[in-house]
Amino acid sequence: MKTIKSILLLLTVCQLVNAQSFDKYFEDRTLRIDYIFSGNQQEQHIAVDQMSTSPRWFGKRQRMAELPVKGNGQITVRSHRDGSVVYRNSFSSLFQEWLSNDESKTETKAFENVFLVPFPKDTIDITIDLRNNRHETTTTLTHTVAPSDILIRHIGERNLTPYEIVQAPADTSRCIRIAYIAEGYTEKEMSVFMNDVKVANKAMFAHEPFRSLKDRFQVVAVKAPSKESGTSEPAKGIWKNTALHSHFDTFYMDRYLTTLHLKDLHDWLAGIPYEHIIVLVNTEQYGGGGILNSYNLAMAHHKMFKPVVVHEFGHSFGGLADEYAYENEAIPMYPHDVEPWEPNITTLADFHGKWEHMLNPKTPIPTPPSEDEKKIGVYEGAGYSLKGVYRGVQDCRMRSNVNPEFCAVCREALTKLIKFYTEPDSSDQSEE
């Protein structure tokens, strides 16, 4: 009994410490910063576009200075008074992905990016840095934000986009918030959208560890209406007037379905409880994409809709890498002498801390193919490369649409992430 009381007391203290850390520096509001990332392979630039604020903060309130995954970029908020880190988050971006394409060798382009941080009580310094596939910082910007700045516009206080609560958490003060948003659905098609949300959400929470930890998620469906039904298909000369201006043929890849209009996306969501975004696109054509802490986007009416929307959420929420490989992969996304930050692949440059602890001591590294498809090992062929990049299991939701589940390695990584956001912790230390 004494042990139970001690544990309860410790949990209470941890919650109090975290609450004090948040309340010391932040209000229960959101600060949204819109940035422009621009440049080419030779040089990149970051510029502040505009800032806005909306009621309530729906992100983390504990472990404010910690990063569960490192990402391809990071946003760091520091107290202007003493320089201490008071909030951090990681991300990836379409701009950085574009930099790996040949077009960026000769062309210069600009991309919208939107980040949410808790609204400060006092002046803060915000640093955005972008990193290459060797984890080297390629460009950085630090700017100062004063909460009294009269040019921070107020949004999301009235005339919210209509939305419905799809799934309620056990504790709204400690949960992960997901917003499904309609793209390419007209006003008359919102019943179709709501049915698509139910299909996607059922598929998501049929997978472990989401199924077991379902009560830690709040899910809403946001009914953003489009003037026209469907999405744009540039290769066919089809351009639709839709809420998010999504289109196929991103980077001239026919199946790559994205939206470049992140400001429009967050305008539709202003004032609604959300942190992670799933865009459902009203199309039968195969395509989609997932970008860490940005959005997950998937076609809603293709037969592979359910596995694709779950796979892309593995990217956008979990920071999981693709585990498949191409015969002729021209883009070396993962240098073989650098350990990827994604938890489910390795180059063996620094395998310690990945899934090494899950291996049978007798398992050879690398691991030859096995008849046991669920056997955990170190199997070559992942991260788009046939050689030099390895995955933990022979097949997984992050490798193929046929496999019905996340592998044990991915499940462990997702479980750690969910617990990071939803369970109390006594530390609030910065991860270097």
Side-chain angles (χ1 to χ4, degrees):
M1 182 64 73
K2 288 184 178 180
T3 301
I4 295 175
K5 288 182 178 179
S6 298
I7 293 173
L8 291 174
L9 178 60
L10 178 60
L11 289 174
T12 301
V13 171
C14 292
Q15 291 172 351
L16 182 59
V17 168
N18 285 312
Q20 288 174 338
S21 177
F22 179 87
D23 293 338
K24 178 180 178 180
Y25 294 104
F26 303 109
E27 297 181 15
D28 185 21
R29 294 186 63 85
T30 295
L31 174 65
R32 168 183 151 185
I33 314 104
D34 300 348
Y35 295 95
I36 301 297
F37 294 173
S38 65
N40 48 50
Q41 284 191 13
Q42 287 69 49
E43 60 178 326
Q44 298 89 47
H45 305 279
I46 304 170
V48 178
D49 183 7
Q50 62 183 0
M51 294 185 291
S52 54
T53 181
S54 57
R56 302 294 310 279
W57 167 246
F58 298 109
K60 63 179 179 178
R61 290 174 179 259
Q62 61 178 19
R63 292 168 163 168
M64 300 296 287
E66 290 185 54
L67 293 177
V69 291
K70 290 187 176 180
N72 293 323
Q74 294 178 12
I75 180 168
T76 303
V77 180
R78 291 181 173 86
S79 165
H80 187 70
R81 290 181 181 272
D82 59 24
S84 60
V85 176
V86 295
Y87 177 84
R88 294 177 78 186
N89 204 0
S90 58
F91 61 87
S92 294
S93 69
L94 268 175
F95 173 65
Q96 291 165 287
E97 187 175 337
W98 176 74
L99 290 175
S100 66
N101 284 265
D102 286 342
E103 185 186 33
S104 65
K105 294 178 181 179
T106 57
E107 301 294 327
T108 296
K109 287 190 174 183
F111 291 73
E112 296 179 0
N113 289 271
V114 175
F115 299 105
L116 309 177
V117 303
F119 195 88
K121 290 183 174 179
D122 201 354
T123 302
I124 55 174
D125 297 317
I126 300 180
T127 298
I128 293 280
D129 65 75
L130 306 184
R131 304 178 182 196
N132 61 21
N133 60 4
R134 302 191 65 83
H135 311 324
E136 300 163 336
T137 298
T138 58
T139 189
T140 184
L141 170 73
T142 297
H143 63 103
T144 300
V145 178
S148 58
D149 187 342
I150 61 172
L151 295 182
I152 299 176
R153 63 184 184 133
H154 286 244
I155 60 175
E157 295 177 349
R158 59 183 183 275
N159 301 323
L160 304 188
T161 308
Y163 72 97
E164 291 185 23
I165 297 175
V166 176
Q167 179 176 307
D171 181 358
T172 55
S173 68
R174 194 181 299 279
C175 69
I176 297 165
R177 291 178 168 88
I178 300 171
Y180 288 90
I181 183 168
E183 164 62 347
Y185 296 82
T186 64
E187 287 277 12
K188 294 180 179 180
E189 294 175 309
M190 282 305 155
S191 60
V192 178
F193 167 66
M194 288 304 303
N195 184 68
D196 293 340
V197 169
K198 292 174 183 177
V199 170
N201 207 54
K202 184 178 179 180
M204 185 79 66
F205 288 95
H207 288 71
E208 290 291 359
F210 299 114
R211 179 170 55 209
S212 297
L213 301 173
K214 183 177 180 179
D215 65 352
R216 303 188 186 202
F217 289 83
Q218 181 186 60
V219 180
V220 299
V222 183
K223 303 175 183 179
S226 292
K227 298 292 186 181
E228 295 182 274
S229 180
T231 186
S232 296
E233 301 177 48
K236 298 178 181 178
I238 299 172
W239 291 95
K240 296 290 186 72
N241 184 5
T242 60
L244 305 178
H245 311 290
S246 65
H247 64 81
F248 284 96
D249 304 302
T250 303
F251 307 155
Y252 301 99
M253 300 167 63
D254 58 354
R255 292 185 172 186
Y256 202 2
L257 173 62
T258 68
T259 176
L260 305 181
H261 297 261
L262 270 65
K263 292 195 293 184
D264 288 343
L265 172 60
H266 286 268
D267 282 347
W268 285 110
L269 294 169
I272 292 169
Y274 79 99
E275 183 178 20
H276 300 280
I277 303 168
I278 301 177
V279 182
L280 299 188
V281 185
N282 186 16
T283 179
E284 296 179 353
Q285 186 171 330
Y286 185 90
I291 307 164
L292 176 65
N293 289 331
S294 182
Y295 63 76
N296 160 7
L297 186 148
M299 76 295 171
H301 299 138
H302 187 276
K303 63 181 180 180
M304 289 297 174
F305 169 45
K306 291 188 284 186
V308 167
V309 74
V310 177
H311 173 97
E312 299 301 346
F313 195 65
H315 290 311
S316 66
F317 171 73
L320 300 177
D322 283 318
E323 296 181 10
Y324 51 81
Y326 295 126
E327 289 290 337
N328 298 304
E329 175 54 45
I331 304 171
M333 294 290 290
Y334 299 99
H336 295 174
D337 61 336
V338 177
E339 185 64 28
W341 57 263
E342 293 94 332
N344 62 320
I345 62 172
T346 181
T347 59
L348 295 177
D350 185 14
F351 184 49
H352 180 69
K354 289 288 178 84
W355 63 92
E356 182 183 27
H357 64 286
M358 302 175 72
L359 297 176
N360 185 309
K362 296 181 180 180
T363 300
I365 300 175
T367 310
S370 168
E371 292 184 3
D372 182 358
E373 294 185 353
K374 295 186 177 182
K375 179 183 177 181
I376 301 173
V378 183
Y379 300 96
E380 193 166 32
Y384 321 118
S385 298
L386 289 172
K387 300 292 184 181
V389 187
Y390 305 84
R391 63 193 189 276
V393 175
Q394 291 180 99
D395 199 10
C396 172
R397 169 59 70 235
M398 298 310 296
R399 182 170 172 82
S400 75
N401 287 330
V402 177
N403 194 286
E405 61 185 8
F406 288 107
C407 70
V409 173
C410 290
R411 290 199 301 270
E412 181 180 79
L414 290 168
T415 299
K416 286 181 178 179
L417 186 61
I418 295 168
K419 290 184 176 180
F420 173 89
Y421 285 118
T422 61
E423 292 187 356
D425 185 86
S426 59
S427 64
D428 194 18
Q429 303 297 318
S430 175
E431 175 191 310
E432 297 300 334

